[in-house]
Amino acid sequence: MLEVLEQLPADPILGLSAAFKQDANPKKVDLGVGVYKDEQGRTPILHAVAKAQNILLANEDSKTYISPQGVQGFIDGMLELLLGKGHKTLIEQRVAAVQAPGGCGSLRILSELLKRANGDLTVWVSDPTWANHIPLIGSAGLKIKTYPYFDKEQAGIKFDEMAACLAQVSKGDVVLLHGCCHNPTGADLTKEQWHKVLELAQQREFLPFLDIAYQGFGDGVEEDVYGLRLLADNLPEVIVAASCSKNFGLYRERVGLAAMICANNQVRNALQSQIQSIARAIYSMPPSYGGALVDIILNSEELKAQWLGEVTEMRERMQQLRRLLADKIKEKSGRDFDFITRQKGMFSYLCISPEQVKKMRSDNAIYFVDSSRVNIAGISHQNVDYIAEALVAVL
Ligand code: LMR
């Protein structure tokens, strides 16, 4: 009976890594999956993480189950990082939260929770959004619609259209927002635009769902949660999926946080039990290792300072690479690609067509997502001329 299932096409992002590995072209460049790389193209273990691993190895004395919510020190540390120390929602004990297997695990169990709360609601996602948002949210059985977000012609956010769309959203619907470093476009809301989103959420009574996977890669660890904190300060309910894959470099350890800010402590307690029962029915409890490392880092002054330094280093390197790429394109073609320098985080949207992307892949072995999203961290001083020339050739 199993033969009824057909082979599916490769994943639009992860499939690129497999194709890249098979390509024999010595000049090949990987700008696909969102993984940080240094000048040598390596994805190193952060020093703060390496030290935390040693501490964990020396102190861990059992592999028995952890509690269903995950590592409590991880949850507390992450909530403080996201909301700020002593945030009123924490003092008022209004936040339910669990450690989850990565940002994906967080998005999925929060979607399951939304489905339990109201099976008929619609989740509004930006057009475009991260390719895996729709499968993750859709698999929970929720309806999905898009709101206008990015204008490829102008290489910027079309905020008036976005706001006009959100002004029509039904009460109780959910609006998924990228906390910072929008994936795939790198185009983030300004502070004024976040205020307008807050106003719309208050007027329409929709529930904001923030996905924050790149805290620290945009303008800074504190700066990047401006929108999240604004909403958390002013709304009774906000839900958050956070990932430690990128900013802690813990990709394969699958470390994420699913958090729900609730109207009061009673609702919080109910949601805490609900989210744990959802996790129990899928994977029982999260793997502890990555969460234990983040717990050690965030709860040690020395390691936290070192980690913050390493996040700054990664952010500044990506900012320099943005400038370098835009300058090289200008040098080789006279064209203005300065919008790359205004985009934030790990991704840039080159605003070229899927055909042009595929041509760069077949002619030059430069791999990136069909939407024209490139991983900025895959650029280096060695390959930037090659990338800029190939881009200019398809323009
Ligand atoms: C990306 O967007 O490339 C990363 O978040 C990796 C993934 O799972 O898609």
Side-chain angles (χ1 to χ4, degrees):
M1 95 177 201
L2 297 177
E3 71 278 2
V4 297
L5 297 174
E6 289 166 9
Q7 178 162 356
L8 297 173
D11 181 87
I13 297 177
L14 301 182
L16 286 173
S17 303
F20 175 80
K21 274 194 195 119
Q22 278 169 7
D23 196 320
N25 187 333
K27 288 184 139 178
K28 65 183 178 176
V29 180
D30 181 7
L31 306 178
V33 66
V35 168
Y36 180 80
K37 291 180 212 163
D38 63 15
E39 184 63 21
Q40 284 70 43
R42 292 172 315 200
T43 303
I45 297 176
L46 299 188
H47 293 108
V49 169
K51 284 188 192 166
Q53 293 197 113
N54 290 336
I55 294 171
L56 186 59
L57 191 64
N59 293 299
E60 195 176 45
D61 55 7
S62 175
K63 291 288 184 191
T64 185
Y65 294 120
I66 53 167
S67 50
Q69 75 270 25
V71 177
Q72 193 59 46
F74 163 80
I75 295 171
D76 296 340
M78 283 297 289
L79 288 174
E80 216 170 78
L81 195 67
L82 292 161
L83 295 168
K85 201 176 168 70
H87 192 267
K88 68 173 179 184
T89 56
L90 299 174
I91 292 171
E92 292 162 6
Q93 302 190 344
R94 291 202 278 124
V95 189
V98 293
Q99 183 190 336
C104 287
S106 309
L107 285 159
R108 179 60 194 268
I109 58 171
L110 287 167
S111 299
E112 296 284 345
L113 182 97
L114 291 171
K115 175 82 181 168
R116 276 194 188 180
N118 174 7
D120 285 333
L121 63 79
T122 295
V123 180
W124 293 80
V125 302
S126 62
D127 177 22
T129 195
W130 176 44
N132 208 25
H133 272 149
I134 293 169
L136 279 168
I137 297 164
S139 298
L142 293 168
K143 287 192 286 281
I144 301 173
K145 285 189 184 156
T146 58
Y147 57 85
Y149 188 76
F150 190 76
D151 183 350
K152 245 182 157 175
E153 300 303 315
Q154 305 294 323
I157 295 178
K158 37 183 167 188
F159 189 72
D160 290 347
E161 285 177 52
M162 171 180 170
C165 180
L166 297 189
Q168 305 296 320
V169 163
S170 303
K171 179 175 174 175
D173 273 357
V174 173
V175 175
L176 186 81
L177 298 153
H178 298 227
C180 64
C181 308
H182 185 269
N183 180 3
T185 67
D188 280 355
L189 298 176
T190 62
K191 285 184 182 172
E192 292 68 35
Q193 290 168 342
W194 277 112
H195 282 267
K196 181 71 186 167
V197 169
L198 167 65
E199 211 176 280
L200 288 163
Q202 285 167 329
Q203 272 164 20
R204 302 300 305 174
E205 297 181 60
F206 62 71
L207 171 64
F209 184 171
L210 268 81
D211 181 1
I212 179 148
Y214 299 88
Q215 187 180 0
F217 279 12
D219 293 318
V221 167
E222 292 290 309
E223 291 81 350
D224 288 352
V225 281
Y226 182 86
L228 166 61
R229 289 184 187 173
L230 179 74
L231 301 182
D233 286 348
N234 291 287
L235 294 172
E237 295 179 339
V238 178
I239 57 177
V240 186
S243 166
C244 299
S245 294
K246 326 281 171 163
N247 54 1
F248 285 86
L250 284 169
Y251 310 88
R252 65 174 61 169
E253 304 303 350
R254 313 308 301 139
V255 201
L257 181 84
M260 294 137 286
I261 296 172
C262 309
N264 58 51
N265 176 256
Q266 214 180 338
V267 180
R268 180 254 164 225
N269 292 342
L271 289 202
Q272 186 71 39
S273 72
Q274 291 280 345
I275 198 95
Q276 285 178 201
S277 93
I278 289 166
R280 177 74 169 142
I282 307 178
Y283 53 78
S284 200
M285 68 190 66
S288 79
Y289 186 74
L293 299 178
V294 174
D295 175 19
I296 292 170
I297 294 169
L298 293 181
N299 292 301
S300 145
E301 245 175 63
E302 187 200 322
L303 291 187
K304 186 173 176 190
Q306 181 165 28
W307 169 70
L308 286 170
E310 295 187 276
V311 172
T312 303
E313 208 178 291
M314 292 191 278
R315 176 178 65 249
E316 290 180 352
R317 181 176 128 74
M318 290 186 285
Q319 287 167 344
Q320 285 159 12
L321 292 169
R322 289 178 176 283
R323 180 78 270 156
L324 186 65
L325 180 62
D327 287 350
K328 292 284 182 190
I329 298 168
K330 167 112 14 96
E331 186 187 300
K332 291 175 200 300
S333 68
R335 293 206 187 216
D336 183 359
F337 268 69
D338 266 12
F339 62 83
I340 295 175
T341 66
R342 293 188 291 275
Q343 295 170 340
K344 306 267 166 89
M346 192 169 248
F347 303 117
S348 228
Y349 219 52
L350 293 183
C351 301
I352 59 173
S353 68
E355 291 70 37
Q356 289 169 312
V357 174
K358 285 182 187 131
K359 193 158 165 51
M360 286 177 69
R361 200 178 301 155
S362 58
D363 291 2
N364 308 96
I366 300 176
Y367 286 78
F368 55 103
V369 186
D370 287 353
S371 65
S372 85
R373 186 197 85 169
V374 292
N375 172 12
I376 286 290
I379 301 170
S380 69
H381 286 80
Q382 277 78 52
N383 66 23
V384 68
D385 281 287
Y386 180 67
I387 296 168
E389 276 155 27
L391 175 64
V392 168
V394 300
L395 287 179

